Amino acid sequence: MRDPKVWRTEILAGLVVGLALIPEAISFSVIAGVDPAIGLFASFTMAVTISVVGGRRAMISAATGAVALVIAPMNREHGFGYLVATVILAGVLQIVLGTLGVAKLMRFVPRAVMVGFVNALAILIFLAQLPELTDVPWPVYPLFAAGLALLVFFPKVTAVIPAPLVAIVVLTAVTVAAGIAVPTVGDKGELPSALPLPGLPDVPFTLDTLTTIAPYALAMALVGLMESLMTAQLVDEITDTRSSKTRESVGQGIANIVTGFFGGMGGCAMIGQTMINVKVSGARTRLSTFLAGTFLMVLCVVFGPVVSDIPMAALVAVMVMVCFATFDWHSIAPKTLRRMPAGEITVMVLTVVCVVATENLAVGVVVGSVTAMVVFAKRVAHLAEVTSVIDPDGTTAVYRVTGELFFASANDLVGRFDYAGDPERIVIDLSATHVWDASSVAALDAVETKYAQRGKTVEITGLNEPSARLHRRLSGELTAGN
């Protein structure tokens, strides 16, 4: 951090992200049914807190649409005090889940789901910009086009100043100087004029309150962690660095608790603003995250009138460029699709469809991951093969099993033996397989039982040590009457 270039990059990135956070936070406040200041306060406290306690440097956390959708019914049905209490409890649950190692579940999210997640987010960010380009005064369109042109061509001139900042400043200056009447940030809602103050939620501290907020808090905790961990994984890949997912999980919880006590609506990692920070602006440290939250509040409180004049066309242009930078275009290239297994294409497409259709990242990731597991299980199940050889003397049949034995492949194992035609002694060689679960042990028991009913003996050989332990523990214990 001694390099002046790093400081300049981090400071300018924080300023750009701070500007981009303002309309987003206001929009998410509307979704949650709260005053715009609540979303802005949440973005400020989330960003500043997570910059210190988070596990992924340069990632932006703030008020998000995913969290707003989860807690909106709580505010609508029970009031703002219960919403704040829900945010605090969600933070506590995130700390507990993080401590218990929920981040380790990320290893079960396949690459196809990650690609689908990223592409779906890019589509959602783009779709969220369309209302700002529909039924608006005609000057919005040339301003939008000019913003895109600046974002594309200005980096070719110099990379010292982030193109998004240039686009925002230039378009704001043009609209103000020329008196062009277009939608501005100020049209989204009134900006706060003072810093938030800490306090306790205005709810009765009873068991009834806890049972009321607990389901919403758990849903918020899970959605927030999933979106944050997926975003952290994406930033890891972009920056070619590793981050602590456990620390990030706990950090999200701490940030939500702090946000709740300051009267914010809670939040989690933001993919769009993170991409502006990391991919567009080139930020790599916690300073940019801290400054994004700080600049957000300074801009609102000190420079509110100036920020209110920023045309939405400028911010929409920035977000559209973020969409194009975020989308994995290589994943849909004909050359890639021809080489990729059909199952992985299905998983990627299904993840995208579910996320876009429900606007819920958690739904898409869960559906995609489950589908990927089913595809994998089906593929591996077909790898389990059984071959048989009869000894020259005709007294022993040797069956060799290759592949993995688990619930999917073990189901048809029983039908692969010639119970009536085999000789008196049967050897089942499992040296080329692994027994993974109780279903496989039960299938082997069933084979032995069928041979025993015909007065024939079975010897199982070649089990590796883990498989042998599982077989010894469960064999003969899985059927009724044992």
Side-chain angles (χ1 to χ4, degrees):
M1 284 294 292
R2 294 181 179 179
D3 189 344
K5 292 182 179 179
V6 175
W7 277 91
R8 183 179 63 235
T9 298
E10 299 297 313
I11 292 171
L12 292 177
L15 179 57
V16 172
V17 174
L19 287 167
L21 280 172
I22 294 172
E24 295 280 306
I26 295 174
S27 298
F28 298 146
S29 298
V30 173
I31 293 174
V34 298
D35 188 81
I38 304 303
L40 292 166
F41 288 157
S43 294
F44 163 62
T45 53
M46 286 293 298
V48 169
T49 306
I50 206 67
S51 69
V52 178
V53 300
R56 173 64 262 178
R57 290 177 296 174
M59 191 167 77
I60 305 297
S61 290
T64 61
V67 169
L69 287 169
V70 172
I71 62 175
M74 175 59 67
N75 182 61
R76 186 169 56 249
E77 297 170 14
H78 300 280
F80 181 68
Y82 281 82
L83 180 149
V84 172
T86 301
V87 171
I88 295 173
L89 180 58
V92 173
L93 292 175
Q94 286 178 328
I95 293 175
V96 172
L97 291 171
T99 305
L100 293 177
V102 70
K104 294 179 181 178
L105 295 176
M106 281 299 297
R107 71 182 66 176
F108 297 107
V109 178
R111 182 184 179 279
V113 175
M114 272 295 298
V115 173
F117 166 82
V118 170
N119 290 347
L121 281 171
I123 294 171
L124 284 179
I125 295 170
F126 178 78
L127 293 176
Q129 310 312 309
L130 294 183
E132 304 298 337
L133 299 174
T134 307
D135 296 326
V136 292
W138 70 265
V140 167
Y141 301 108
L143 286 171
F144 172 68
L148 289 179
L150 284 169
L151 291 165
V152 171
F153 295 110
F154 187 81
K156 301 181 186 299
V157 178
T158 178
V160 173
I161 305 175
L165 180 60
V166 173
I168 291 170
V169 171
V170 169
L171 295 186
T172 302
V174 169
T175 55
V176 172
I180 302 174
V182 292
T184 63
V185 170
D187 296 330
K188 288 291 182 180
E190 186 178 351
L191 301 181
S193 57
L195 294 174
L197 297 175
L200 295 175
D202 184 17
V203 295
F205 292 89
T206 63
L207 182 61
D208 183 58
T209 298
L210 181 61
T211 56
T212 300
I213 68 175
Y216 294 93
L218 179 60
M220 176 183 162
L222 293 174
V223 169
L225 282 181
M226 185 172 295
E227 186 164 350
S228 298
L229 293 175
M230 293 288 283
T231 304
Q233 184 72 25
L234 177 62
V235 177
D236 286 356
E237 294 180 5
I238 292 173
T239 61
D240 196 25
T241 57
R242 292 177 61 85
S243 61
S244 171
K245 305 301 185 297
T246 297
R247 178 176 174 180
E248 183 61 38
S249 301
V250 174
Q252 288 291 329
I254 296 172
N256 272 305
I257 292 174
V258 171
T259 298
F261 281 121
F262 275 91
M265 56 181 276
C268 61
M270 296 189 76
I271 183 70
Q273 275 64 25
T274 297
M275 289 300 100
I276 293 176
N277 197 47
V278 174
K279 204 165 186 177
V280 179
S281 301
R284 291 294 184 271
T285 75
R286 297 179 184 275
L287 179 61
S288 59
T289 306
F290 176 83
L291 290 178
T294 304
F295 281 140
L296 165 67
M297 198 48 52
V298 171
L299 289 167
C300 291
V301 175
V302 181
F303 301 101
V306 176
V307 173
S308 295
D309 288 334
I310 296 175
M312 286 302 299
L315 296 174
V316 170
V318 172
M319 296 308 294
V320 168
M321 285 302 296
V322 169
C323 298
F324 279 92
T326 301
F327 196 92
D328 187 348
W329 297 101
H330 176 72
S331 67
I332 60 171
K335 183 178 180 180
T336 304
L337 294 175
R338 283 195 298 268
R339 294 182 176 182
M340 190 180 295
E344 295 199 23
I345 296 175
T346 301
V347 169
M348 180 182 71
V349 171
L350 191 60
T351 302
V352 171
V353 170
C354 287
V355 172
V356 173
T358 63
E359 295 187 357
N360 189 320
L361 302 172
V363 171
V365 171
V366 169
V367 171
S369 297
V370 170
T371 304
M373 291 177 187
V374 172
V375 171
F376 174 76
K378 185 177 179 181
R379 185 184 304 160
V380 175
H382 290 160
L383 298 178
E385 297 292 340
V386 179
T387 56
S388 62
V389 177
I390 304 295
D391 273 7
D393 59 7
T395 61
T396 304
V398 179
Y399 285 88
R400 180 176 174 81
V401 182
T402 58
E404 305 299 317
L405 281 183
F406 65 114
F407 62 91
S409 58
N411 285 335
D412 51 271
L413 180 68
V414 180
R416 307 293 289 275
F417 296 85
D418 185 3
Y419 301 101
D422 281 341
E424 301 299 315
R425 182 171 178 268
I426 295 89
V427 175
I428 302 177
D429 180 7
L430 300 179
S431 58
T433 188
H434 186 97
V435 178
W436 287 102
D437 57 11
S439 297
S440 303
V441 176
L444 292 172
D445 283 354
V447 171
E448 290 188 81
T449 299
K450 287 181 176 294
Y451 276 119
Q453 289 170 347
R454 292 167 174 79
K456 302 176 182 180
T457 60
V458 175
E459 179 185 359
I460 295 176
T461 64
L463 284 168
N464 57 37
E465 185 54 35
S467 299
R469 284 200 303 269
L470 183 66
H471 187 262
R472 284 196 300 268
R473 188 168 71 249
L474 298 179
S475 183
E477 301 296 331
L478 298 173
T479 57
N482 291 321

